[in-house]
Amino acid sequence: MGLNELSLSETPAIEIFQELGYDHVPGAELNSERVSTSDVVLQERLRESLRKFNPDVPEKAIEDAVRQLKSTQSPNLLEDNQQFHKQLVDGIQVEFEQGGEQVGRFIRPIDFQNIENNDWLVTTQLSIQVGDNPRRRPDMVVYINGLPLGVLEFKNPTDPKATLENAYDQVNRRYRDDISPLLRFNEVIGLMDMHEARVGCLDAGWQWYRPWRYIEEEGVEHELPEEEVLLRGVFNKGRFLDIIENFIIFSERDGQPVKMLAGYHQFYGVREAVESAKKTQGDDLGRIGVYWHTQGSGKSLSMVYFVRKIRRSDDFGNPTFVVVTDRNELDEQITHTFSDAGYNVNWADTIPDLRDKLDRQAGGLIFTTIQKFQTREGEHEHPVVNDREDIIVMADEAHRSQTEKLGENLRDSLPNASFIGFTATPIHDGDNATRMTFGGYVSKYTIDRSEEDGSTVPIYYESRFAKLQLNKEAIGESVRELLDSGDEELENELVEKWTRLRRIIETADDRLSKIAEDIVNHYQDREIEGKAMVVSISRKAAVKYKRYIEQQPDAPEVGVVISEPEEYIDDPVSEGELKRRFKNPDDSLKIIVVCDKWTTGFDCPPLHTLYIDRPMKNHNLLQTIGRVNRVYKDKPGGLVVDYIGIAEDLRQALDQYTSDIQEMAMVDVETAVEVMKKKHYKVSRYLSRVDYEDWQELSELKLSRLIHRAESEVIATEEKKEEYLQAVAELKHAFALVTPHNAAGEIRSDLLFFEAVRDSLRSLESNNAAKEEKLDSAMKKLIAEGVTADEVVSVAGFEKWKSEEPIVSDEFLSDVERVEEPDLQVKMLEKLLRNEISTRKQQNLAKYESFEEELEETLNEYNNQFLTTEEVIEELRSYAGKIQQEDHRQERLGLSVEELAFYDAIETNAETEIDDELLQEVAQEVCEMLKENVNIDWTDRKAMRSKLKARVKGLLRKNGLSHSDYQPLIQPIVHQAEALYGDVSEGNRS
């Protein structure tokens, strides 16, 4: 395939790959290197590379390695992919005879040390067919040593339907189903057009496909298209090998493998941290630095990548890693993250156990809390436990505990270790102690960048304590005393005041009951799928909240998580069981009440709302609200609902940081309301000529007509339709975030109508899905031969109907005849006639309702096999001819469009024959009368009809018609007048 046949995005991609040092060979030219069209491995290139990297291995072992690489290990594609990845990175185990003995070796399929020693190839439009499955041609496949490790799918940026999400579906559904052997070997998947680009991996959800921002190093952005940045950033030879070796991990979730590819912020951040760690080896200070990546952006996984990269580096030998946290929950969470990723973990249970595990000569991955670095009885200072220099301490949430006495004990215990601090909240501007302990930032990933990338969702704040008038004076004063104190762990310093406040809240049953009622109502009115968490001041209050919530009508299932629950609850459910259920989005457990557990180190993506009734400040507050910023499906953001008055302290907490962090950390819900209003206005502009205000009061027929009219406004062009669908989706997200705010209720009816129009548009697209692909092909053929897309598929509006070039034209009918398959001719004619009749019917009810009835009758006969395909085509062509004749009839009679509509309304419904000349005169007079009565109030339907009937009756009587003659005509004339002028008048007013 030549370059001129490739997509707009493929062509520059080929040039970029060639600049990066790859060979480009079109797919057709690679067929000579393949055994069959189902074979995706270039076997001879693979053999040559294996021989080059393993020169002392016999040919039989090389063939065994090729066989193992190509052999399917599991019917589960992801499990098979995991096995291949292990072979790719760790080598393939083979056995062969050497010197009369059987020896075992690991054969390397990639030379990770000598980049140019590998075979680098990119191919386009490689044709692959597996069995009887459809043949597929991925846009681009990236090969290393004959193994297809990358798949790239491009979309035409000029086609509004060709979105990156379509590209995602192409790879993760069609390719997965039809050419799964290709994805068995896949490491990286790229989706792009000339404007956007995303990268992800096999079986990752669409929400986990993210942009790639940098090329050479962190923080350096380029004025280049996203596609080029991604290609140069990811597929640079050295970085691509680094990604494969160190930044792809397989974890386990609910017994199933999960593949994870590092985001660009993790990739560049960890590389910077590793480089800093190299420089600190043997350094007296041992300060690697601070790694600040905002909450929810994968900090724990970054720690996994950091350990993985250092362990695979020749620069570090076999270091011991010590992961230190200050909370049991964090310790447990990070330990599980490493364990699920396949690491052997050593968890220190007690102080003696920790010292025993630290006293080693090499290696190991040890997890502990900072509290286990306490001195024991009789010790004046902490003893040295291990003085090796190749110990790396990874402190989570470093600024919270590492600069106090326990931090000093840790350094006394490991005097020559190096230290890196990982944190999800920024360091206080005046926090020199943390910088002195760990050094400066080695990597920063800020809140605004995380939200922009889709790594996290924004957090919004709503205060409800004032609205509920629950902040009694005693509570308010105590809360302020606590929050104004200098202690971050509030209850530790101000025990007496904390206890007094806790008792006031615990015993204020009326207050707790009212808040519980408000929580249930608020949660039930949220328009977001997911879970909620209530943070209470004490264990006793938490248990009461659970009981009061359960007492509310239609309350969702609620659980409580506290320490030592048996003190308050008979036969409590285990915390592990509650965690498993709460994290499951499909489980009926929707609300969890906590005290201090789960407020840090707990990750639950479906969690969208946090109800706070506990004083918190500084990092504790920021850590807690971060529970709701995880990405989940179409979750638009997290919401923090305040029942105790933390707004001022939140502002004070943010004041400690730089102004840009203040602005991005949390947004008041009123700001979200303004965003929603703007998006509502944007959608409403698409339907500015449609009056949908009282749509819910309309009959089914009239609502159908209204929706049809709205469709006509939207589908003027394919681009406009796609813009409308996107605008409705954005409004839906904003609406879901704001609910149950009053402003959301004000537009609820409008949103339902917008969605009805959206669903109707989609149903048009999905109707007769089995024939759609063939129909599209036939339509494209006609378009290619000179018929415009609008002529074929658009539902024309009133102005289109009045244009000089009718949709039902001789040219189009002759083009239809050229379609080879008769059933496609039927489908195209049916679609055309339905659209034409539906459009014209609004202007001439009598004539086109009659046409519609005839069309339905004919199609029913065809579907019931009373008519052959040839016969129904002839009938449909006849209807098309009748529609064409209608335009000529109007000219022949010398009537306007409106006059002809009343002419037909009278003629169709007259029970006695009326002279044709009189018919024309009456039709013209009716139109004239309506134009003179422009003051008719079309919004008051009942009054309007009454006035109109009286005037029509008088006009008909004046023209000599008797009561029996004109009585059957009044209602049809009024209906036609309402269809012609009522909708137009109302549309103009809107």
Side-chain angles (χ1 to χ4, degrees):
M1 176 175 285
L3 289 182
N4 61 331
E5 297 176 77
L6 299 172
S7 77
L8 292 173
S9 291
E10 274 178 78
T11 304
I14 293 170
E15 296 175 11
I16 292 169
F17 271 106
Q18 289 174 327
E19 290 178 15
L20 293 174
Y22 291 71
D23 291 330
H24 169 239
V25 180
E29 296 179 23
L30 281 182
N31 289 336
S32 60
E33 300 187 38
R34 302 165 65 197
V35 176
S36 67
T37 56
S38 64
D39 192 11
V40 295
V41 175
L42 307 179
Q43 296 188 41
E44 196 50 46
R45 290 177 187 257
L46 176 59
R47 289 189 183 93
E48 289 178 8
S49 296
L50 293 177
R51 294 184 191 113
K52 187 195 301 185
F53 306 154
N54 309 276
D56 55 342
V57 173
E59 187 65 22
K60 186 176 180 182
I62 296 292
E63 289 300 323
D64 183 28
V66 172
R67 180 191 59 78
Q68 287 191 54
L69 278 172
K70 289 174 71 6
S71 298
T72 299
Q73 304 293 321
S74 167
N76 182 306
L77 179 59
L78 194 58
E79 288 181 359
D80 208 23
N81 183 249
Q82 180 179 9
Q83 176 63 29
F84 167 74
H85 177 78
K86 183 175 177 59
Q87 293 173 327
L88 191 67
V89 173
D90 297 332
I92 310 117
Q93 188 171 12
V94 296
E95 291 185 355
F96 54 89
E97 189 175 308
Q98 190 176 62
E101 295 183 358
Q102 198 75 6
V103 297
R105 281 277 299 277
F106 280 91
I107 290 182
R108 295 175 300 146
I110 289 182
D111 190 340
F112 286 102
Q113 271 63 50
N114 304 295
I115 296 171
E116 295 301 335
N117 205 24
N118 298 285
D119 179 76
W120 299 87
L121 171 70
V122 64
T123 186
T124 44
Q125 302 297 321
L126 183 70
S127 183
I128 306 170
Q129 185 169 24
V130 179
D132 295 329
N133 292 339
R135 184 184 297 265
R136 299 295 181 193
R137 292 195 306 175
D139 291 334
M140 188 172 285
V141 180
V142 180
Y143 279 92
I144 302 180
N145 304 329
L147 296 168
L149 304 185
V151 171
L152 303 179
E153 192 67 20
F154 299 87
K155 289 300 175 184
N156 184 349
T158 64
D159 182 356
K161 281 190 173 182
T163 64
L164 291 192
E165 199 162 354
N166 296 147
Y168 170 85
D169 291 338
Q170 179 86 351
V171 175
N172 288 278
R173 288 184 174 83
R174 291 185 185 179
Y175 293 175
R176 197 187 195 288
D177 292 342
D178 299 335
I179 52 173
S180 58
L182 175 69
L183 296 182
R184 176 185 183 269
F185 299 96
N186 181 259
E187 295 289 287
V188 172
I189 297 170
L191 314 171
M192 60 199 73
D193 57 29
M194 293 183 72
H195 307 301
E196 292 184 277
R198 298 288 184 271
V199 64
C201 60
L202 181 63
D203 276 16
W206 163 245
Q207 69 269 30
W208 297 112
Y209 277 68
R210 304 280 169 73
W212 194 272
R213 300 292 186 192
Y214 310 136
I215 296 179
E216 297 294 339
E217 58 183 309
E218 180 178 81
V220 180
E221 300 196 43
H222 302 266
E223 294 296 325
L224 296 172
E226 282 191 17
E227 173 189 3
E228 184 169 355
V229 173
L230 188 151
L231 293 176
R232 293 189 185 278
V234 173
F235 293 100
N236 163 275
K237 293 179 180 179
R239 284 191 289 274
F240 192 27
L241 291 188
D242 196 7
I243 288 171
I244 292 170
E245 185 178 23
N246 299 305
F247 292 93
I248 294 174
I249 62 172
F250 285 83
S251 185
E252 187 175 296
R253 190 174 301 152
D254 298 328
Q256 297 297 318
V258 178
K259 186 176 185 179
M260 289 176 284
L261 169 69
Y264 75 92
H265 59 290
Q266 295 167 313
F267 176 77
Y268 290 102
V270 166
R271 281 163 65 104
E272 289 291 330
V274 171
E275 285 301 311
S276 182
K278 289 180 185 178
K279 297 172 185 176
T280 59
Q281 291 186 98
D283 187 328
D284 290 340
L285 296 176
R287 298 185 301 190
I288 297 174
V290 176
Y291 185 102
W292 168 38
H293 283 205
T294 192
Q295 300 175 73
S297 60
K299 174 172 57 71
S300 297
L301 285 175
S302 293
M303 298 171 79
V304 174
Y305 297 130
F306 178 76
V307 170
R308 183 182 181 91
K309 187 167 174 61
I310 285 181
R311 278 191 169 179
R312 290 183 175 275
S313 172
D314 294 333
D315 298 313
F316 291 92
N318 187 16
T320 297
F321 294 91
V322 184
V323 181
V324 182
T325 65
D326 66 344
R327 304 283 172 84
N328 288 331
E329 291 85 356
L330 283 175
D331 187 29
E332 178 184 343
Q333 181 243 327
I334 296 175
T335 302
H336 281 312
T337 299
F338 275 86
S339 178
D340 291 344
Y343 283 85
N344 292 320
V345 299
N346 293 276
W347 182 69
D349 188 28
T350 62
I351 293 175
D353 185 38
L354 171 62
R355 295 184 181 184
D356 181 60
K357 285 179 166 60
L358 289 175
D359 186 14
R360 61 178 64 207
Q361 294 304 307
L365 183 57
I366 302 168
F367 294 81
T368 182
T369 56
I370 188 72
Q371 288 79 8
K372 292 187 178 70
F373 284 95
Q374 298 179 41
T375 54
R376 303 176 70 182
E377 186 177 352
E379 295 177 343
H380 297 292
E381 59 183 29
H382 201 289
V384 173
V385 177
N386 196 322
D387 62 0
R388 286 171 34 226
E389 293 183 351
D390 61 341
I391 295 176
I392 297 176
V393 177
M394 303 162 62
D396 190 52
E397 295 305 332
H399 50 290
R400 279 210 304 237
S401 58
Q402 293 292 312
T403 60
E404 307 295 333
K405 179 58 180 174
L406 290 174
E408 293 178 15
N409 291 348
L410 166 57
R411 281 154 184 78
D412 290 340
S413 174
L414 308 170
N416 297 315
S418 297
F419 291 80
I420 179 171
F422 287 84
T423 180
T425 50
I427 295 174
H428 188 302
D429 275 350
D431 186 358
N432 294 321
T434 299
R435 291 181 176 82
M436 289 297 293
T437 302
F438 293 96
Y441 287 120
V442 292
S443 179
K444 292 195 293 184
Y445 188 56
T446 59
I447 298 169
D448 57 341
R449 176 45 63 88
S450 175
E451 292 176 4
E452 181 183 349
D453 292 340
S455 300
T456 58
V457 297
I459 301 175
Y460 293 84
Y461 170 86
E462 179 182 5
S463 174
R464 293 181 75 81
F465 80 91
K467 296 175 184 177
L468 294 177
Q469 297 182 339
L470 296 172
N471 196 32
K472 292 182 180 179
E473 187 175 336
I475 293 178
E477 183 179 345
S478 297
V479 169
R480 286 269 49 90
E481 286 179 349
L482 286 166
L483 295 180
D484 289 342
S485 72
D487 187 24
E488 177 151 324
E489 297 287 349
L490 298 176
E491 58 266 51
N492 289 349
E493 181 181 313
L494 305 172
V495 175
E496 182 180 344
K497 292 180 179 179
W498 179 270
T499 302
R500 185 170 71 245
L501 175 62
R502 188 189 65 204
R503 285 175 178 168
I504 292 173
I505 291 178
E506 286 176 350
T507 57
D509 287 358
D510 181 60
R511 177 182 182 276
L512 296 178
S513 176
K514 285 182 179 178
I515 293 178
E517 180 183 5
D518 191 64
I519 287 172
V520 172
N521 291 335
H522 187 277
Y523 176 80
Q524 296 287 42
D525 288 339
R526 298 283 276 142
E527 299 278 340
I528 308 176
E529 173 190 351
K531 313 266 181 156
M533 178 185 287
V534 182
V535 183
S536 63
I537 195 171
S538 68
R539 294 182 298 156
K540 185 176 182 180
V543 173
K544 285 190 172 185
Y545 263 130
K546 177 180 182 293
R547 184 169 70 248
Y548 285 131
I549 289 173
E550 288 174 331
Q551 291 173 1
Q552 302 304 315
D554 301 320
E557 185 177 351
V558 58
V560 63
V561 174
I562 55 176
S563 57
E564 301 176 355
E566 58 279 355
E567 293 185 19
Y568 295 95
I569 305 171
D570 295 331
D571 193 22
V573 180
S574 72
E575 183 178 343
E577 173 67 8
L578 289 171
K579 183 176 291 187
R580 181 192 65 77
R581 291 189 60 199
F582 193 67
K583 286 190 172 188
N584 180 359
D586 300 322
D587 195 280
S588 59
L589 179 60
K590 299 300 182 184
I591 299 178
I592 204 78
V593 186
V594 303
C595 177
D596 51 6
K597 280 178 170 285
W598 292 16
T599 57
T600 60
F602 176 70
D603 186 42
C604 178
L607 179 61
H608 58 62
T609 306
L610 192 70
Y611 300 100
I612 295 182
D613 191 31
R614 174 188 175 92
M616 289 181 288
K617 61 187 301 180
N618 298 339
H619 294 104
N620 284 337
L621 176 55
L622 296 179
Q623 282 283 331
T624 300
I625 67 175
R627 298 312 98 204
V628 292
N629 77 340
R630 276 32 174 195
V631 173
Y632 177 70
K633 292 186 177 179
D634 57 354
K635 172 177 156 184
L639 181 63
V640 174
V641 179
D642 175 14
Y643 287 110
I644 201 163
I646 59 171
E648 181 60 32
D649 191 69
L650 179 59
R651 282 190 287 271
Q652 291 177 6
L654 297 176
D655 283 344
Q656 297 173 0
Y657 310 125
T658 58
S659 59
D660 59 331
I661 295 172
Q662 292 176 42
E663 293 171 1
M664 68 178 92
M666 183 179 286
V667 181
D668 192 276
V669 75
E670 295 298 333
T671 302
V673 169
E674 291 305 311
V675 171
M676 181 193 71
K677 288 180 178 178
K678 289 178 181 178
K679 294 187 180 299
H680 173 258
Y681 176 76
K682 180 179 178 180
V683 178
S684 66
R685 293 303 300 156
Y686 286 96
L687 305 178
S688 60
R689 298 193 300 173
V690 179
D691 181 13
Y692 50 83
E693 183 176 354
D694 298 319
W695 66 270
Q696 290 172 314
E697 299 176 11
L698 299 178
S699 67
E700 189 172 336
L701 175 61
K702 289 182 179 178
L703 177 58
S704 175
R705 290 174 181 170
L706 182 64
I707 291 175
H708 171 73
R709 179 149 187 244
E711 288 174 348
S712 299
E713 292 292 325
V714 172
I715 63 174
T717 65
E718 183 66 28
E719 183 178 4
K720 185 176 181 181
K721 185 188 78 171
E722 292 300 323
E723 288 174 354
Y724 173 81
L725 295 177
Q726 179 62 30
V728 173
E730 292 175 2
L731 174 59
K732 177 66 175 176
H733 274 66
F735 177 84
L737 183 62
V738 168
T739 52
H741 193 283
N742 290 339
E746 292 171 4
I747 71 159
R748 185 185 299 275
S749 177
D750 287 0
L751 176 58
L752 290 173
F753 181 76
F754 298 156
E755 290 182 305
V757 175
R758 175 203 64 189
D759 294 342
S760 182
L761 289 169
R762 288 176 175 171
S763 70
L764 286 175
E765 292 180 351
S766 61
N767 190 31
N768 292 303
K771 295 182 179 180
E772 197 67 30
E773 189 170 342
K774 289 183 179 180
L775 176 63
D776 286 346
S777 176
M779 296 250 183
K780 288 175 183 176
K781 182 179 178 182
L782 292 182
I783 292 168
E785 294 175 2
V787 180
T788 69
D790 281 345
E791 285 175 325
V792 179
V793 297
S794 290
V795 180
F798 181 41
E799 292 301 317
K800 180 71 177 179
W801 180 37
K802 295 196 297 183
S803 68
E804 294 181 359
E805 295 182 14
I807 291 178
V808 181
S809 64
D810 291 333
E811 290 78 14
F812 177 74
L813 293 176
S814 63
D815 284 332
V816 169
E817 287 184 347
R818 297 203 301 272
V819 177
E820 295 180 358
E821 297 187 43
D823 60 334
L824 290 184
Q825 287 192 35
V826 173
K827 175 62 181 171
M828 293 173 72
L829 285 167
E830 177 190 347
K831 190 170 187 178
L832 181 74
L833 290 170
R834 284 191 186 281
N835 288 346
E836 187 77 350
I837 291 172
S838 180
T839 299
R840 293 182 178 228
K841 188 171 69 172
Q842 187 173 355
Q843 308 303 322
N844 192 325
L845 290 176
K847 179 61 68 176
Y848 290 99
E849 282 182 347
S850 173
F851 272 134
E852 191 172 49
E853 291 172 2
E854 291 182 38
L855 177 62
E856 291 297 336
E857 185 178 340
T858 299
L859 289 172
N860 285 335
E861 290 181 356
Y862 170 65
N863 291 329
N864 292 321
Q865 299 183 346
F866 294 125
L867 291 176
T868 65
T869 303
E870 292 75 14
E871 287 172 337
V872 78
I873 288 174
E874 188 59 36
E875 288 285 336
L876 295 179
R877 285 180 58 81
S878 173
Y879 291 142
K882 289 179 182 179
I883 290 176
Q884 285 181 289
Q885 289 302 315
E886 283 302 301
D887 297 325
H888 301 312
R889 188 167 69 95
Q890 176 193 336
E891 295 173 6
R892 177 171 52 80
L893 292 173
L895 299 175
S896 68
V897 172
E898 294 89 345
E899 291 168 348
L900 182 63
F902 290 111
Y903 179 99
D904 289 333
I906 297 170
E907 183 184 46
T908 303
N909 293 281
E911 295 183 358
T912 58
E913 187 174 348
I914 301 176
D915 179 72
D916 189 68
E917 186 175 337
L918 178 58
L919 259 179
Q920 295 179 44
E921 290 178 7
V922 171
Q924 290 170 333
E925 287 187 29
V926 168
C927 283
E928 190 66 30
M929 180 267 291
L930 288 169
K931 289 176 183 177
E932 290 174 356
N933 288 272
V934 293
N935 61 339
I936 291 178
D937 183 6
W938 296 93
T939 60
D940 189 342
R941 299 281 179 175
K942 187 174 181 180
M944 175 275 296
R945 292 189 186 106
S946 179
K947 290 180 181 178
L948 200 55
K949 285 180 181 179
R951 290 168 186 171
V952 168
K953 188 185 299 183
L955 187 148
L956 296 177
R957 189 186 299 118
K958 187 190 74 168
N959 278 277
L961 275 70
S962 65
H963 181 274
S964 60
D965 289 336
Y966 66 67
Q967 192 60 38
L969 306 180
I970 295 174
Q971 195 71 14
I973 290 175
V974 170
H975 283 170
Q976 182 62 68
E978 190 175 358
L980 271 173
Y981 300 113
D983 286 350
V984 173
S985 178
E986 293 167 24
N988 289 337
R989 280 198 304 277
S990 68

